[in-house]
Amino acid sequence: MPGRPRPRPLAALLCPVGLALLLAAAPACISQEPAAESAPPYAPADAPGQAPPVDSPFWVDPQSDAARQVAAWEAQGRNGDAHVLRRISERPMALWGAGDDPGPGIRRAAKSAKAAGRTLVLTAYNIPYRDCGQHSAGGAGDATSYRNWIGAFADGIGDAKAVVVLEPDAVPHVVDGCTRADRHDERFRLLSEAVVRLKKNPHTKVYVDAGNPAWIPDPLKLVEPLYKAGLDRADGFSLNVSNFQPDAAGRAYGARISKATHGKHFVIDTSRNGEGPLPGDGQQAWCNPPGRALGVPPTDRTGDPLVDAYLWIKRPGESDGPCRGGPGAGTWWPDYALGLARRAKE
């Protein structure tokens, strides 16, 4: 998707498959300095003021940007705004692996999630030639570096219960032609290898990203590429990461892919789709659109047998990029976060 926001370093956080047995998540902290390996473990997810909703099995990061903002506003006497922002701070969000070394941050989060009896939700986003050189350009320097990176990512999870959303945009960017043709084979090979490596962990579920309904109009064009990316060994696919498409559109789109992939299940990002996409505005509808709202809180109780979970994969409140007055991609933007929370319906 154009303008995928670059995630902040993971080490700076503190940043039909039985999924109900698995699931828990977290966003990034305000500090952008990597945490030392000896940093103290996270507080448990059920710390005061940070308990997840009763129907959510996911881990909540008690030191997320949103949680820190709540504390800061309460100290300033902005209690009303702090209360509204708890709609974000007290709910689980996906934790994105640090580009340099994802291991330390994931290990600390996994330890906390295990202690709390919750499941960690993670996003692996470091494929070479990421985002076709746009806002979130970067990723691993070459195939060897990526293999080492995904190995460290998987090692960090260990035997913790985890759900991994694998490489948002990587497959759709092949389908839409944004990724150069001479890089396709390597990308599919790396994605497929990543699925195999992650699935060696005893309690890790993997969902290969498949974009969103507004991106690749014909979902059947994604089927063969998804298989090349390892879908046959994965638990399913993910939809709507960092986007705003309504749940109904995602379910219908996913059902078509599922039918063509022998019943594969999927997860949907509902972090900011409470008001759907911004009408009109073409290519810029994805970038910090005004008037949007939080969507359905993370849960594995979806009411749809094909949808394993609604997840907040995009961390609500982090900028999509320097558009509409926003800070750089992946940077915490409290005013935008507050707007999302104020307009939330639940």
Side-chain angles (χ1 to χ4, degrees), residues 106 110 114 153-161 200-204:
I106 291 179
K114 286 176 67 176
F153 191 108
D155 288 344
I157 298 170
D159 64 356
K161 294 178 182 179
K200 287 182 179 179
N201 290 350
H203 305 300
T204 296

Side-chain angles (χ1 to χ4, degrees), residues 283-317:
Q283 291 298 313
Q284 289 300 309
W286 59 268
C287 193
N288 298 326
R292 303 308 91 195
L294 301 173
V296 174
T299 180
D300 61 346
R301 301 179 185 180
T302 67
D304 188 318
L306 294 177
V307 183
D308 285 347
Y310 294 129
L311 303 174
W312 285 5
I313 301 169
K314 164 71 177 182
R315 295 188 295 271

Side-chain angles (χ1 to χ4, degrees), residues 11-26:
L13 303 184
L14 309 182
C15 144
V17 186
L19 195 58
L21 300 177
L22 289 179
L23 306 161

